[in-house]
Amino acid sequence: GWWYCCIPTCCIREKGYPLPIYFHRDDVEFGLRNKNQFTLNGICVWHVTPDQRPSSVNKYYDARNMAIVNSIHAPKKSRNIFLSYLWKNFFKEIFRYRYLDAQLLLRATKDFCRGKDWVVNNDCGQFYNMIKSQGYQFKKIYSFDLSLYQKEYSRPSLFNRVFKLILLNGIFFPSKRKQIIVPAFEPHFEQFWLARTALNYNEFDGTGYVVKKQIFKTIKLIFSLLCITVYITIKFKAAEESWRKYLYGK
């Protein structure tokens, strides 16, 4: 984070300014570039924790900006790291019926591959609002039986988890449970096993949103994932080099 962050001007002259990107991982990248740091005891910051403000927009910025940071600081393996991240998190969203979040992951991938100039020229407040509008919108919850809320969840055995993973979490099987209620912040995908709909509930402010299993949508998005994977093999290296050239001139 940037709270109470004091940067000597000599560091700026030697290492350059923080990356002009919004709004995740920019602090991480600047810290990796400037490793001589120290903290002041007794100074602390309080802010709302991630589980109290879940948001689809984070899916986009976490993926895109992680690719940027790794392109700069781990260029030899950044593409493989990103492909692993993309596939893992894409199917996690698919298994949780969060198709809009899966689409934002694909959008983040495509935008990164457009290169540094495109990202910097479009990364503004208006763009943020547009990305945010493409995700899930939280609304007050009134008409659900919250006694079904699964706040605590004990994960099944490793064998059970692997079994469900092989069966793609039962997404192509008939639904046996009409409705479930899960935490809006990072529920386990196993909670969605054979469920038809799910209310993603934020207990801190009584809001949430409903998702529903859609087989045709799942197939369409998996096809898009395969296409974007091919796109990565073609465009990723050039995009990676554009960020390194921006910082180091090479």
Side-chain angles (χ1 to χ4, degrees):
W2 296 106
W3 302 286
Y4 292 103
C5 182
C6 299
I7 307 171
T9 55
C10 61
C11 291
I12 299 296
R13 285 193 293 268
E14 180 182 354
K15 301 288 187 177
Y17 288 98
L19 291 179
I21 57 175
Y22 191 78
F23 68 108
H24 278 190
R25 319 283 187 180
D26 51 337
D27 51 350
V28 173
E29 190 286 320
F30 195 71
L32 290 171
R33 215 183 327 150
N34 296 270
K35 297 179 180 179
N36 295 324
Q37 307 167 30
F38 65 92
T39 58
L40 298 177
N41 294 331
I43 296 180
C44 56
V45 175
W46 180 92
H47 67 93
V48 178
T49 54
D51 60 320
Q52 296 184 49
R53 53 174 187 181
S55 174
S56 293
V57 73
N58 292 349
K59 306 292 183 179
Y60 174 89
Y61 285 100
D62 280 345
R64 191 201 68 182
N65 292 358
M66 184 195 74
I68 293 172
V69 173
N70 287 337
S71 292
I72 295 168
H73 296 284
K76 293 183 179 180
K77 50 186 177 180
S78 61
R79 185 171 68 177
N80 291 338
I81 292 173
F82 184 77
L83 279 170
S84 175
Y85 175 92
L86 174 63
W87 278 68
K88 177 182 177 181
N89 285 276
F90 174 88
F91 278 102
K92 187 187 294 183
E93 303 304 343
I94 290 293
F95 294 163
R96 298 188 294 201
Y97 313 157
R98 296 182 175 184
Y99 303 111
L100 296 183
D101 288 354
Q103 288 176 186
L104 285 174
L105 282 171
L106 299 178
R107 172 70 190 265
T109 304
K110 186 175 181 180
D111 287 352
F112 167 78
C113 289
R114 288 174 168 173
K116 188 275 299 183
D117 289 341
W118 189 93
V119 171
V120 171
N121 291 334
N122 287 276
D123 216 21
C124 58
Q126 185 178 2
F127 181 80
Y128 169 85
N129 291 331
M130 183 270 291
I131 293 295
K132 188 175 182 180
S133 69
Q134 293 180 4
Y136 292 102
Q137 309 301 314
F138 284 79
K139 298 179 181 179
K140 274 291 182 182
I141 300 301
Y142 299 105
S143 57
F144 287 84
D145 179 9
L146 294 180
S147 65
L148 300 174
Y149 179 46
Q150 297 177 295
K151 180 180 178 180
E152 303 295 334
Y153 177 71
S154 298
R155 300 194 72 183
S157 65
L158 178 60
F159 174 81
N160 190 294
R161 297 202 303 270
V162 172
F163 175 75
K164 290 181 177 179
L165 193 59
I166 292 173
L167 296 180
L168 298 180
N169 209 45
I171 200 162
F172 295 113
F173 290 78
S175 299
K176 293 185 177 181
R177 295 188 294 165
K178 183 178 179 180
Q179 184 183 91
I180 60 172
I181 303 178
V182 298
F185 182 74
E186 299 298 331
H188 293 293
F189 70 81
E190 298 102 336
Q191 293 177 262
F192 292 75
W193 174 255
L194 300 183
R196 184 183 305 166
T197 63
L199 168 64
N200 295 266
Y201 182 60
N202 184 1
E203 63 179 300
F204 297 99
D205 60 8
T207 63
Y209 60 88
V210 176
V211 295
K212 182 179 180 179
K213 179 163 69 173
Q214 301 178 55
I215 294 178
F216 178 75
K217 186 73 170 178
T218 298
I219 296 172
K220 185 178 179 180
L221 282 170
I222 291 175
F223 179 76
S224 296
L225 173 66
L226 296 174
C227 292
I228 206 74
T229 299
V230 175
Y231 187 73
I232 288 173
T233 62
I234 299 171
K235 297 286 188 178
F236 195 93
K237 185 175 181 179
E240 175 185 270
E241 290 175 349
S242 70
W243 286 101
R244 290 187 61 79
K245 185 176 181 181
Y246 170 71
L247 281 182
Y248 305 122
K250 60 180 179 179

